[in-house]
Amino acid sequence: AGRMAAACAVCREAALPPVVLPCDPRHQLCLECFVSVEAASNMACPVCRRRLNSWARKLKSGVVDERLWERLCRAQPRPCWRKYKNLPHELRALVPLPPVPEPAEGEVEDALDDQESEPEAERPVRVLAQEGDLRREYEELLAKENREKEKRRAQEQEASMPLLEAARHEEERLRAQEQRDFELAMKEQARMDEERRAREEADRALALQLQKELQRQATPPTSGPTPAIASPAPTPIKRAASFRSKRNQGHFSRHSNSNGGSSGCTTPQQSLRAEPR
């Protein structure tokens, strides 16, 4: 019955009283480390970070594995009793009393009394840091991270070089195309301006020629009689109006003389009746 207590996953001492977590593989903690982990990490395994809330709620008794605790107490009574008595009062109430009596002073020590945790070959070697070790380690880690960043940046830049080269060629092509379009536009503008000036000159010359022709036609000849301008022939309507006007004027004058020079008022109807047919 020489069962050995497993090492606590946190303090690396003997996991007494043992708390076996439902991990895969099953990690073991001592009760004091489990309580501190529970308070600090909100019920999560300190090794694999598995959540322990459901497991803790399903426990009918305490978190201590009572069967394993009993076997360890029978195999290592002295270290188990010593660990039990060193527990705080509030934690001691969570641990069953060891099932074996406490060994008396002077008895042969248990085989694992001086080896309360895992064998010496498996125990971690504790090395205290010297002054400046933490800073030096931090600077080494920082320099390593900076080197990795520079390496990644160089790789990204190398991978992006073909894209940058293609973008540069495309930009040069577009700039050359814009220059050609500008030159063509300037040539077309110059040609249109030349055509406009030519049309203006032609229009000005034609206007001067027409003006001279009109002046030549309006100027009378210097020798010879002036040709008589024939008056336009009267239209039938104008001839009828002139005839009626002359007839009325003659009738009015005769009527005035027959009345002794008085100026009688005679209507056109009366004058027409008085006129012989």
Side-chain angles (χ1 to χ4, degrees):
R3 183 177 179 83
M4 184 186 304
C8 175
V10 178
C11 66
R12 306 305 298 173
E13 298 293 338
L16 297 174
V19 178
V20 183
L21 303 180
C23 308
D24 187 16
R26 300 172 73 84
H27 302 124
Q28 292 189 26
L29 280 71
C30 63
L31 182 59
E32 292 180 287
C33 290
F34 175 79
V35 173
S36 62
V37 167
E38 178 184 2
S41 63
N42 194 14
M43 292 297 288
C45 176
V47 180
C48 63
R49 311 306 301 171
R50 177 176 176 176
R51 303 291 296 175
L52 304 175
N53 304 71
S54 301
W55 170 77
R57 286 195 299 267
K58 293 178 182 179
L59 291 176
K60 296 182 180 180
S61 59
V63 294
V64 177
D65 192 330
E66 297 182 1
R67 292 183 181 180
L68 181 58
W69 170 243
E70 182 179 353
R71 289 198 299 268
L72 292 174
C73 288
R74 295 184 185 279
Q76 312 173 46
R78 187 175 296 278
C80 290
W81 271 100
R82 184 185 301 118
K83 190 72 174 180
Y84 177 78
K85 290 191 296 185
N86 290 336
L87 288 174
H89 180 72
E90 60 274 7
L91 295 182
R92 193 182 303 175
L94 303 176
V95 182
L97 188 68
V100 295
E102 183 179 2
E105 292 293 337
E107 292 184 1
V108 180
E109 293 289 338
D110 191 81
L112 297 178
D113 189 11
D114 297 331
Q115 188 175 342
E116 298 181 359
S117 62
E118 57 188 343
E120 187 66 26
E122 300 180 4
R123 290 172 63 98
V125 180
R126 294 180 175 85
V127 180
L128 298 178
Q130 300 297 326
E131 184 178 358
D133 287 349
L134 295 179
R135 181 178 182 83
R136 185 164 48 254
E137 182 179 0
Y138 168 75
E139 291 177 351
E140 291 176 356
L141 292 176
L142 186 61
K144 181 180 178 181
E145 184 178 359
N146 291 335
R147 287 194 299 270
E148 292 178 354
K149 287 183 179 179
E150 290 295 333
K151 184 179 179 180
R152 288 195 300 270
R153 187 181 296 110
Q155 292 176 353
E156 293 174 356
Q157 185 175 3
E158 184 179 359
S160 62
M161 283 301 295
L163 297 177
L164 294 176
E165 190 69 18
R168 186 176 63 82
H169 287 315
E170 182 66 17
E171 184 178 359
E172 292 178 355
R173 186 186 67 80
L174 293 176
R175 189 180 296 111
Q177 183 66 31
E178 291 179 357
Q179 183 66 25
R180 288 194 297 269
D181 294 344
F182 177 75
E183 292 176 357
L184 290 176
M186 292 300 295
K187 291 180 180 179
E188 184 67 18
Q189 183 66 31
R191 185 185 64 81
M192 294 175 63
D193 292 343
E194 186 66 24
E195 291 180 356
R196 180 177 54 81
R197 286 193 294 269
R199 286 195 301 270
E200 290 178 355
E201 290 294 335
D203 294 343
R204 188 178 298 108
L206 181 60
L208 291 175
Q209 184 178 358
L210 292 176
Q211 185 177 4
K212 290 180 181 179
E213 184 68 21
L214 291 176
Q215 289 178 357
R216 185 179 62 80
Q217 293 179 1
T219 303
T222 56
S223 61
T226 302
I229 299 175
S231 59
T235 60
I237 297 176
K238 290 183 177 181
R239 287 198 298 270
S242 178
F243 175 76
R244 284 195 298 270
S245 177
K246 290 179 179 180
R247 187 183 62 182
N248 292 336
Q249 289 177 2
H251 176 73
F252 291 156
S253 61
R254 288 194 302 270
H255 186 70
S256 299
N257 293 330
S258 62
N259 291 333
S262 62
S263 59
C265 183
T266 307
T267 61
Q269 288 79 6
Q270 295 174 354
S271 62
L272 289 176
R273 284 194 301 267
E275 184 178 357
R277 296 178 180 268

